[in-house]
Amino acid sequence: MKFGHTLQTSLYPEWTFYYLAYDDLKRFLKKNSRGDQEWTEENESEFVERLEKELDKVYSFQRAKLEEINRRIESEAQEVEELCRKEAPEEDEFTASEMELGHIIADVHDLAKFTRLNYTGFLKIIKKHDKVTRWPLKPMFMVRLNAKPFYKENYDALIVRISTLYDRVRTRGKERGGDAAAGGKQSAFVRNTTKYWVHPDNITELKLIILKHLPVLVFNPNKEFEPQDSAITSIYYDNDDFNLYMGRLEKSEGAEAIRMRWYGGMESNTIFVERKTHREDWTGEKSVKARFPVKEKYLNAFLKGEYTTDELFAKMREQGKHSEKEIQEMEQLAQEVQYTTLTKRLHPMMRTFYNRTAFQLPGDARVRISLDTELSLIREDNMGGKRRSGDNWRRTDIGVDYPFKQLPEEDICRFPYAVLEVKLQTHVGQEPPQWVVELVNSHLVESVPKFSKFIHGCATLLEDKINVLPFWLPQMDTDIRKPRICSFGVLRPTDTAGSSSASANEEDHVQIRMIAEATQTSTQPPTATANENTPLLSSSEQQTQDYEGVEAKKRKDSILSPAGLRYLFKKSKTTFKRNDQQKDSARAARLAAAAAKPPPVKTYFANERTFLAWLQFTLLLGGLAIGLLNFSDEIGRISSGIFTALSLGVMIYALYNYHDRATRVSQNEIGEYSDKYGPGVLTGFVVLAISINFYLRLTLDDGVEWNK
């Protein structure tokens, strides 16, 4: 299916105007490159300007819509707080809040989909441009995308806030019992777990569906959510024979997995040593995961047998936070893990990193769902003569800085999907909740029973050392997306309760439309004003100003858009005014935007032509040197060496200038681009070389013997 059709059938109708004009750009390419018609610099300049205008439009809308959603969440949070403080709130009031949150959830879903579609559209139109015109544009435009990274928003912070509000409305303001960190302090727990892959296109929608039934589990509700709060890192241990890998892959009775796990960033001092033990059904036992905490500074000594379990748990006994039975169980586990590590010669083998969003009722582990995104599998071994972790229990050259660009490709596998785990604890004969059944049978997930991050990492990164591979590897080559089930997904509420929110935010839509229209009409400067000194890419400061005005509109003299529109908004939701001063600032902003507009591609081509001109001159000198070398006497050979050295020097000088100018243009540096001294110095050297040749020819006669 062509992407243009996919875009038309997938977009949200009310936002049609703000999507990338993919078909228009495609028609422009086809019109100006058909048949024998050659793609010109003017065509390239116009295409780049159109593309820049589309990027401004998409970015401005995404930022404005995100701000609108944040304001609506803040407003709804205040209303829910006031509602929960009432002595006898009406049921209809909670229903109205639930409907408004439903509209917000739908907007977050549509905005995430808007982001994915437009990012895909930009990549596809750039690919088509490079293929049709053979003018490479992708490297330059990726810089522009990084300057306006609308596609990097993952909406996790919004989802956490919406989940908290939705849970309060669902419980009608009543506090839930139990510990908010339920499960986090358990040393042993048993669950029936099923695993699924989730395509990146479905991640946000899946989270929004689940939060309607289960709240996002927040271990520290009093702390502001930060991206690294959801990070989980584990170091899996194995030996050179991969005994633990084979045991987990074959699911043999008693197979173990030993890992060191910590939560959050690298500043975490508490490391959990965990052991997972597989039990076959015929034994009548369940597979168990058990763990105990160790301070990071003692972990190396513990794994080497230098730090005993008595020392490890002495302080825990003094604190008295755990019963003696619990301490004895953890101490027994620590002794067994230490013994296994030493006798089987276990060492760090594989690191897994991911950001986890967990959904669970506090204090109730009957239904627990976790979604792991940005999964990365990283080598920790010292095989192949390369020290990664060395003598430490983990490698120290990385932290939680996904996507770990500093690592070589042979050391990391960035898993393309998210991993969904559904953990249920039900009584014998009890059916799981209906919404869970619908979820796991929907188009959003792909079932992958017994999937293991550790096994997949070893099979992918250490394939030459592994003899048996997991069954799901061939499944990686297929597209796991399925036809959409219309009856399942994030659906926009149809109740009239949402009409009030729509009308209340009508002004926001008007503001967004005005921003986008202004961007379209004002961000494209006349091509006549561009010259070879004009930078192709605008500076980062100018790029960030594209939306700073929208974000600052709450201030009295806020500016909406650097593209040319300046309005003064009052706090009223229904009126705004303009004055002459704002018109003057708008005019000045338009001029500034035109001056900072990227130049056409011919700027780079002019630099290339200059380099080729210098290169042509060096070829002439080189040709002269070769002629003298092959068809002249000893004096001619001396002159040949002089001209050869001069030719090579000029060639190196021209290459240096070419790369220096290209870098300065790409970084939008303002300064002198002409070469004041190069031509003069070159002329002097040529005159000197010719003079030496004349001198030798006139002063040395034919009778001179050169080879004595």
Side-chain angles (χ1 to χ4, degrees):
M1 182 183 294
K2 299 215 176 263
F3 179 75
H5 178 72
T6 302
L7 182 62
Q8 291 297 325
T9 55
S10 303
L11 54 77
Y12 180 46
E14 292 188 14
W15 301 349
T16 302
F17 175 78
Y18 308 105
Y19 285 83
L20 169 70
Y22 180 83
D23 289 337
D24 293 345
L25 293 172
K26 186 177 177 182
R27 280 193 293 268
F28 180 83
L29 284 173
K30 187 176 181 181
K31 177 182 176 181
N32 292 280
S33 60
R34 65 176 59 177
D36 297 332
Q37 188 173 356
E38 184 179 356
W39 185 262
T40 64
E41 292 184 13
E42 289 74 16
N43 296 143
E44 182 71 6
S45 177
E46 184 176 352
F47 182 82
V48 170
E49 289 169 358
R50 290 188 179 207
L51 204 60
E52 179 72 18
K53 180 177 63 176
E54 292 298 314
L55 178 59
D56 288 340
K57 178 182 70 174
V58 170
Y59 179 74
S60 297
F61 176 79
Q62 192 256 4
R63 300 309 303 173
K65 193 65 183 177
L66 195 59
E67 286 295 318
E68 175 200 330
I69 291 174
N70 276 300
R71 290 195 300 272
R72 291 168 62 188
I73 292 176
E74 290 290 345
S75 176
E76 191 60 28
Q78 294 176 5
E79 293 184 11
V80 171
E81 184 66 28
E82 294 175 0
L83 188 60
C84 293
R85 289 178 180 176
K86 290 184 178 180
E87 294 183 0
E90 297 290 336
E91 180 66 22
D92 291 345
E93 294 179 294
F94 282 110
T95 302
S97 292
E98 190 169 350
M99 293 299 296
E100 171 61 13
L101 287 173
H103 282 285
I104 294 175
I105 288 173
D107 277 349
V108 173
H109 167 260
D110 291 334
L111 187 58
K113 192 174 181 181
F114 171 90
T115 301
R116 291 194 307 274
L117 284 173
N118 282 287
Y119 180 60
T120 304
F122 278 117
L123 295 183
K124 285 188 174 292
I125 198 65
I126 291 299
K127 182 179 180 181
K128 185 173 290 293
H129 165 277
D130 292 357
K131 180 180 179 180
V132 171
T133 67
R134 301 187 184 279
W135 289 39
L137 181 61
K138 184 176 180 180
M140 182 274 288
F141 198 74
M142 291 307 297
V143 176
R144 299 294 295 124
L145 279 176
N146 289 330
K148 297 184 177 181
F150 68 92
Y151 58 94
K152 292 185 178 180
E153 183 67 49
N154 62 12
Y155 307 101
D156 281 351
L158 285 180
I159 289 173
V160 171
R161 294 170 63 191
I162 294 172
S163 171
T164 302
L165 283 177
Y166 206 93
D167 190 50
R168 293 197 69 185
V169 172
R170 181 169 43 230
T171 60
R172 299 305 188 246
K174 298 178 181 179
E175 294 292 335
R176 292 188 184 273
D179 185 1
K185 298 179 181 179
Q186 299 179 21
S187 59
F189 38 93
V190 181
R191 293 191 182 99
N192 293 322
T193 304
T194 53
K195 298 182 180 181
Y196 307 85
W197 290 346
V198 182
H199 193 276
D201 291 351
N202 300 327
I203 289 175
T204 302
E205 182 176 8
L206 187 68
K207 290 180 180 180
L208 294 171
I209 291 173
I210 298 174
L211 70 80
K212 289 187 174 183
H213 303 278
L214 291 175
V216 175
L217 183 62
V218 180
F219 289 96
N220 188 359
N222 299 321
K223 179 181 178 293
E224 183 79 16
F225 176 79
E226 297 178 3
Q228 71 173 17
D229 292 342
S230 60
I232 298 179
T233 312
S234 303
I235 309 295
Y236 285 84
Y237 274 55
D238 206 340
N239 54 28
D240 293 338
D241 296 327
F242 294 94
N243 290 336
L244 271 60
Y245 168 88
M246 291 302 301
R248 298 297 296 181
L249 180 62
E250 296 173 352
K251 297 296 181 183
S252 55
E253 168 60 25
E256 295 180 342
I258 295 177
R259 67 190 181 195
M260 317 298 150
R261 168 172 289 190
W262 72 94
Y263 301 88
M266 299 300 293
E267 68 279 359
S268 177
N269 293 321
T270 301
I271 310 299
F272 290 94
V273 180
E274 299 185 349
R275 184 185 66 183
K276 299 174 71 174
T277 306
H278 175 72
R279 297 300 181 189
E280 288 290 298
D281 293 336
W282 57 265
T283 64
E285 300 180 9
K286 294 292 184 181
S287 299
V288 176
K289 179 172 72 175
R291 66 181 183 179
F292 61 91
V294 180
K295 292 296 182 182
E296 196 271 337
K297 59 183 178 181
Y298 301 130
L299 188 53
N300 274 324
F302 170 76
L303 294 173
K304 294 176 182 178
E306 301 169 358
Y307 192 72
T308 65
T309 55
D310 292 335
E311 296 174 292
L312 181 63
F313 292 99
K315 188 173 182 179
M316 187 177 294
R317 285 189 169 91
E318 293 176 1
Q319 293 175 343
K321 294 182 179 180
H322 299 271
S323 65
E324 183 61 29
K325 182 180 179 181
E326 290 176 334
I327 294 177
Q328 288 178 357
E329 291 176 352
M330 287 189 285
E331 189 171 7
Q332 175 68 23
L333 173 64
Q335 291 173 353
E336 294 174 359
V337 169
Q338 190 179 55
Y339 177 79
T340 301
T341 303
L342 294 173
T343 56
K344 292 188 176 182
R345 299 182 180 275
L346 303 182
H347 55 79
M349 182 65 69
M350 188 64 55
R351 174 183 299 210
T352 63
F353 167 85
Y354 47 85
N355 287 304
R356 169 165 290 182
T357 305
F359 301 86
Q360 177 185 342
L361 293 175
D364 186 350
R366 289 175 296 179
V367 180
R368 187 175 189 269
I369 297 178
S370 62
L371 184 64
D372 300 335
T373 57
E374 299 176 344
L375 172 60
S376 301
L377 309 166
I378 303 169
R379 290 183 63 173
E380 292 278 340
D381 62 274
N382 297 318
M383 298 179 183
K386 185 176 180 180
R387 290 177 63 85
R388 297 179 177 88
S389 59
D391 296 329
N392 197 32
W393 66 276
R394 65 181 177 189
R395 63 191 300 168
T396 57
D397 57 338
I398 57 173
V400 294
D401 48 334
Y402 179 87
F404 308 103
K405 295 181 179 179
Q406 69 271 37
L407 290 178
E409 290 301 316
E410 62 269 17
D411 277 10
I412 183 170
C413 169
R414 298 176 183 88
F415 196 69
Y417 307 125
V419 178
L420 178 75
E421 295 187 27
V422 180
K423 304 173 183 179
L424 300 175
Q425 286 184 352
T426 56
H427 298 291
V428 178
Q430 183 181 6
E431 294 294 331
Q434 181 61 29
W435 69 270
V436 175
V437 176
E438 294 177 355
L439 178 69
V440 299
N441 290 319
S442 71
H443 64 282
L444 299 176
V445 300
E446 172 75 7
S447 178
V448 189
K450 308 301 181 183
F451 173 75
S452 166
K453 303 180 182 73
F454 166 61
I455 291 176
H456 186 84
C458 292
T460 304
L461 298 174
L462 301 168
E463 184 177 1
D464 57 331
K465 304 180 185 303
I466 298 295
N467 296 323
V468 183
L469 301 177
F471 71 89
W472 60 76
L473 275 187
Q475 202 169 348
M476 296 292 297
D477 298 328
T478 61
D479 190 348
I480 66 171
R481 287 174 290 189
K482 305 173 185 176
R484 185 175 185 84
I485 302 175
C486 297
S487 59
F488 187 84
V490 174
L491 304 176
R492 193 171 292 274
T494 56
D495 191 88
T496 55
S499 61
S500 60
S501 65
S503 61
N505 291 283
E506 183 177 354
E507 294 79 10
D508 290 321
H509 293 287
V510 173
Q511 295 167 15
I512 295 168
R513 188 174 299 110
M514 289 160 57
I515 295 166
E517 290 173 353
T519 301
Q520 276 199 316
T521 58
S522 302
T523 56
Q524 181 175 344
T527 56
T529 62
N531 55 55
E532 294 183 357
N533 290 325
T534 309
L536 177 62
L537 299 180
S538 58
S539 65
S540 58
E541 293 180 0
Q542 179 66 26
Q543 292 161 357
T544 55
Q545 287 174 1
D546 288 343
Y547 190 74
E548 283 181 352
V550 180
E551 294 180 322
K553 78 180 189 65
K554 294 182 180 180
R555 299 193 299 267
K556 182 176 181 180
D557 295 323
S558 65
I559 299 173
L560 267 184
S561 170
L565 185 61
R566 298 294 184 271
Y567 283 101
L568 177 62
F569 278 88
K570 299 296 184 181
K571 292 184 179 179
S572 169
K573 294 184 178 180
T574 57
T575 62
F576 62 90
K577 299 180 180 180
R578 294 186 300 185
N579 56 31
D580 293 338
Q581 183 178 1
Q582 290 171 317
K583 293 180 181 179
D584 294 338
S585 64
R587 191 176 300 109
R590 280 194 293 270
L591 295 175
K597 187 64 183 177
V601 179
K602 65 181 183 181
T603 304
Y604 287 96
F605 287 0
N607 187 29
E608 291 178 7
R609 287 194 298 269
T610 304
F611 171 66
L612 293 176
W614 280 80
L615 202 61
Q616 184 180 11
F617 182 78
T618 62
L619 291 177
L620 290 175
L621 289 177
L624 176 61
I626 292 174
L628 290 172
L629 178 65
N630 293 321
F631 305 105
S632 186
D633 54 12
E634 294 296 337
I635 296 176
R637 291 170 186 170
I638 294 174
S639 300
S640 172
I642 295 173
F643 282 112
T644 299
L646 180 60
S647 175
L648 292 175
V650 174
M651 194 178 298
I652 294 172
Y653 175 79
L655 182 63
Y656 169 81
N657 270 345
Y658 168 74
H659 284 290
D660 178 65
R661 287 170 178 160
T663 302
R664 291 168 60 194
V665 169
S666 65
Q667 294 177 353
N668 194 27
E669 291 186 11
I670 300 175
E672 184 63 50
Y673 281 81
S674 63
D675 192 346
K676 294 181 179 180
Y677 308 106
V681 173
L682 173 61
T683 302
F685 275 117
V686 172
V687 171
L688 179 62
I690 295 175
S691 300
I692 293 175
N693 187 32
F694 268 98
Y695 173 80
L696 292 175
R697 179 60 63 187
L698 294 175
T699 58
L700 299 177
D701 56 9
D702 295 336
V704 175
E705 295 183 8
W706 293 89
N707 298 316
K708 290 184 178 180

